[in-house]
Amino acid sequence: MSSRPARIENLRKALRSRVLVLDGAMGTAIQAMNLGPKDFGGEVYEGCNEYLIVTKPDAIRSIHSAYAKAGADILETNTFGGTPLVLAEFSLGSEAHLINLRAAQIAREVADEFTTPDRPRFVAGSIGPTTKALSVTGGTTFEKLIDEFAAQARALYEGGVDFFLIETAQDTRNVKAALLAIDRVHKENSGKEILPIAVSGTIEPMGTMLAGQNVEALYTSVAHRDLLYLGLNCATGPEFMTDSIRSLAQICKFPVACVPNAGLPDEDGRYLESPEMMARVLKGFADKGWINLVGGCCGTTAKHIEAFAAMAKAATARDFSKPGVSYRTGSFLSGIEFLEVSEDNRPVLVGERTNVIGSRLFKNLIEQEKWEEASEIARRQIKNQAQIIDICLANPDRDEFSDMKNFLEVVIKKITTPMMIDSTDAKVIEMALSYSQGKAIINSINLEDGEERFEDVCPLAKKYGAAVIVGCIDDDPQQGMGVTVERKLAIAERSYRLLTEKYGIPPEDIYWDALVFPVGTGDQNYIGSGVATIEGVGALKKKFPGTKTVLGISNVSFGLPNSGREVLNSVFLYH
């Protein structure tokens, strides 16, 4: 038996050279055995497929063997509902470690049994979505879900899986909790063996996940991770996956997996798509260069996997090393919806009325703790064409953390756009990021106090996959604000070097705030500053290709009458 690092390296090599085959439906195979209450250990446990690992391990072993014989390269552990949270519904929460450990060991034994020098078999540690969706049903918290996933991942790691598979994902907040849980397990093991992670989302027939994201938004939410692969499974047959798989293949820098159901179930719950029907559609995907892995979800059997394996043998794997849309000049954000920030989509408009500093109405509603009414302001901004919503609860007379949490609990159910988290408190920023399904943007960091803000915020941006707004401000005692073009560039050059080299922030996640100063107040310090900002924006884009810029346009007209502000704002925006 080869070592786990060697197996992982072989897995990565295999993904580059051929289309791999995952196994088929565990639940379908169990149902076909017509097991009774005694097999599950009693009526109270009937239906808990994971407990068969303890009560009838040979049954699970035989299912793994059947799929391996059919040609599966990857066997999934029988742990889809293996978190203590789900097992507790059968009063088995305390057995979670044993169940996941034994499930991994049994799958590992079968994979080793079928491994040959020219055909290695691998084990995926299956991590299902649980019975809670943070953005939809609630019922738990982000922090508690991390604990649940960590308990499962810990046992799968110990049992010998080759990678973690976060599958049938319906809410990307759950996915993020699972990713952080796995990070915790790796840290507990001092990083001795870092196992790859794969993510597989579930796109419903209406074209989105249960919590609302489409496949582009899902990809943007997890693109900051070094995933083994990203795929789609469950929900529909392969035909209904066509648009989503095509879109994913166009933008994804990771290998792509397609693991469909055997069609949609009929009124009796039967899945009717034959192995031949499904293999024909999957072959079409492979012929178009869209996929790297195939497998079967609900309703698929060993016969399906046999047909998929025959198809895969003659297929050419998608070349995921080629730059896709993700490597163009655009930057990407997401909430429920996907947003490309590019030359073809400008200006992107940020709604700033959900800000206690900038809106008296919003501030008053927050002080009265009228969360629903306050969240309606965000929804109205989107209706009025805002593409990003800035959220700031930094009232010095109130508890910012508590206000942000209470507001986000309500507003995430009402907005679809990416969120701009506007705070100077790292704890508030991290909590707020945990409420974002997608890829948020943090407003803002700068070098006013040296690297202190970078040190606090950049690790959070990396951890959650957020972009950052970087102000052209530094700790220069004479002129910290970058008023001239030269100062803006000098500050940005120092910031860019730190962000990209020290903190690992990719250029496309950097948004420069070139600063806007009021030009109508008579202050001699700001004479010519409007022109300097316009020229500075161009100079920043030229100096740091791949980065973007953001401005608070209306600052330029501060102090003027309303009619004058409207004219000056419009002229400034035009230029």
Side-chain angles (χ1 to χ4, degrees):
M1 182 180 72
S2 60
S3 67
R4 181 151 59 182
R7 293 197 304 267
I8 291 170
E9 180 57 30
N10 283 337
L11 174 58
R12 293 189 185 279
K13 286 180 181 177
L15 275 171
R16 291 191 290 268
S17 62
R18 59 190 176 91
V19 175
L20 297 187
V21 180
L22 287 84
D23 60 9
M26 176 63 70
T28 299
I30 290 172
Q31 287 176 352
M33 291 180 168
N34 296 314
L35 302 177
K38 287 185 179 180
D39 297 301
F40 286 91
E43 289 187 6
V44 69
Y45 306 121
E46 189 172 11
C48 183
N49 291 343
E50 291 76 18
Y51 199 40
L52 292 170
I53 288 293
V54 175
T55 63
K56 208 169 180 64
D58 287 344
I60 303 304
R61 190 184 302 274
S62 69
I63 292 170
H64 288 319
S65 296
Y67 283 131
K69 287 177 184 175
D73 297 293
I74 299 169
L75 304 178
E76 293 187 39
T77 57
N78 178 37
T79 55
F80 183 80
T83 56
L85 175 71
V86 178
L87 291 172
E89 296 175 8
F90 295 92
S91 301
L92 290 169
S94 62
E95 301 296 314
H97 188 87
L98 172 64
I99 289 170
N100 285 279
L101 177 68
R102 286 297 298 134
Q105 289 171 338
I106 289 171
R108 172 85 274 140
E109 289 163 8
V110 175
D112 291 343
E113 178 187 340
F114 281 86
T115 289
T116 62
D118 60 342
R119 186 73 184 280
R121 309 299 176 101
F122 309 100
V123 175
S126 171
I127 299 176
T130 78
T131 52
K132 311 294 182 185
L134 286 170
S135 303
V136 183
T137 63
T140 187
T141 66
F142 189 81
E143 294 75 19
K144 288 179 181 176
L145 207 50
I146 292 175
D147 293 339
E148 297 288 335
F149 284 130
Q152 181 178 23
R154 200 172 286 118
L156 293 172
Y157 182 100
E158 189 179 330
V161 301
D162 296 311
F163 67 96
F164 297 106
L165 173 55
I166 303 167
E167 62 173 331
T168 322
Q170 300 158 339
D171 183 342
T172 312
R173 287 182 68 199
N174 286 44
V175 173
K176 291 181 178 183
L179 290 168
L180 295 181
I182 293 167
D183 289 344
R184 179 189 294 177
V185 172
H186 284 144
K187 188 175 181 180
E188 289 170 355
N189 288 282
S190 304
K192 291 175 184 174
E193 287 184 339
I194 303 297
L195 305 192
I197 307 171
V199 172
S200 186
T202 294
I203 301 292
E204 302 293 335
M206 76 284 276
T208 68
M209 298 166 70
L210 182 65
Q213 284 191 323
N214 63 16
V215 73
E216 291 94 343
L218 168 64
Y219 170 70
T220 304
S221 302
V222 298
H224 63 290
R225 302 291 301 220
D226 181 20
L227 297 181
L228 181 69
Y229 67 81
L230 178 62
L232 300 178
N233 77 289
C234 202
T236 71
E239 286 277 13
F240 280 98
M241 289 181 162
T242 301
D243 290 344
S244 294
I245 290 292
R246 179 199 300 115
S247 297
L248 185 58
Q250 288 173 347
I251 65 174
C252 189
K253 60 185 176 183
F254 313 120
V256 169
C258 182
V259 185
N261 288 351
L264 293 168
D266 64 13
E267 61 273 12
D268 297 317
R270 294 175 300 182
Y271 294 88
L272 303 179
E273 289 205 19
S274 69
E276 294 73 26
M277 291 166 63
M278 293 185 72
R280 186 163 56 248
V281 178
L282 291 172
K283 181 180 184 300
F285 293 173
D287 289 346
K288 292 180 175 70
W290 292 350
I291 53 177
N292 302 93
L293 303 92
V294 295
C297 206
C298 303
T300 58
T301 66
K303 288 291 186 184
H304 288 86
I305 300 308
E306 191 175 340
F308 298 173
M311 180 280 297
K313 196 172 182 179
T316 300
R318 168 178 170 269
D319 184 358
F320 55 91
S321 66
K322 287 183 177 179
V325 176
S326 57
Y327 289 97
R328 292 192 329 209
T329 56
S331 294
F332 302 91
L333 302 169
S334 63
I336 290 176
E337 294 176 348
F338 168 76
L339 176 64
E340 181 176 1
V341 182
S342 69
E343 298 300 308
D344 300 328
N345 180 29
R346 63 176 183 174
V348 171
L349 304 179
V350 180
E352 291 194 291
R353 307 317 297 165
T354 46
N355 185 320
V356 294
I357 298 171
S359 169
R360 188 182 301 274
L361 172 62
F362 183 70
K363 180 182 179 183
N364 289 340
L365 289 172
I366 294 299
E367 288 178 342
Q368 297 167 45
E369 301 190 355
K370 293 183 176 180
W371 312 114
E372 286 286 345
E373 292 92 331
S375 67
E376 283 298 317
I377 294 175
R379 191 163 71 165
R380 285 200 298 272
Q381 288 185 106
I382 294 171
K383 191 175 181 180
N384 290 327
Q385 309 305 312
Q387 294 154 284
I388 298 171
I389 295 297
D390 178 90
I391 300 174
C392 177
L393 279 297
N395 183 340
D397 297 325
R398 290 181 60 84
D399 182 343
E400 182 187 3
F401 188 96
S402 177
D403 281 351
M404 180 70 85
K405 189 177 184 69
N406 287 326
F407 181 66
L408 289 172
E409 288 279 0
V410 178
V411 80
I412 61 168
K413 296 178 173 64
K414 295 189 176 184
I415 65 171
T416 57
T417 63
M419 291 194 296
M420 182 179 286
I421 307 303
D422 194 343
S423 177
T424 58
D425 188 326
K427 290 182 180 178
V428 172
I429 292 170
E430 178 159 23
M431 178 271 294
L433 289 173
S434 75
Y435 276 87
S436 171
Q437 277 197 63
K439 179 174 183 174
I441 184 166
I442 300 169
N443 184 18
S444 63
I445 59 174
N446 57 57
L447 293 170
E448 185 175 9
D449 298 312
E451 282 188 57
E452 183 179 327
R453 291 280 294 147
F454 282 29
E455 290 171 351
D456 287 344
V457 175
C458 289
L460 298 179
K462 289 283 290 179
K463 182 177 179 179
Y464 290 89
V468 290
I469 292 175
V470 186
C472 290
I473 307 171
D474 71 3
D475 48 2
D476 186 295
Q478 301 301 319
Q479 189 189 60
M481 295 269 195
V483 178
T484 66
V485 175
E486 292 73 25
R487 278 289 292 145
K488 294 179 196 292
L489 283 174
I491 295 167
E493 190 157 6
R494 178 184 168 195
S495 299
Y496 185 84
R497 187 171 61 252
L498 287 168
L499 289 167
T500 57
E501 296 177 10
K502 183 174 181 178
Y503 295 102
I505 304 294
E508 62 268 22
D509 286 346
I510 298 172
Y511 291 72
W512 301 112
D513 184 350
L515 306 186
V516 181
F517 301 97
V519 300
T521 62
D523 189 328
Q524 292 298 309
N525 292 318
Y526 300 136
I527 299 297
S529 64
V531 172
T533 294
I534 292 168
E535 292 177 349
V537 167
L540 287 165
K541 289 180 182 293
K542 184 176 180 181
K543 180 76 174 178
F544 309 105
T547 66
K548 301 298 177 187
T549 55
V550 60
L551 288 176
I553 296 296
S554 64
N555 289 351
V556 75
S557 62
F558 182 78
L560 296 179
N562 285 343
S563 56
R565 297 199 71 180
E566 188 173 331
V567 172
L568 183 52
N569 290 351
S570 298
V571 172
F572 187 65
L573 176 59
Y574 173 81
H575 285 287

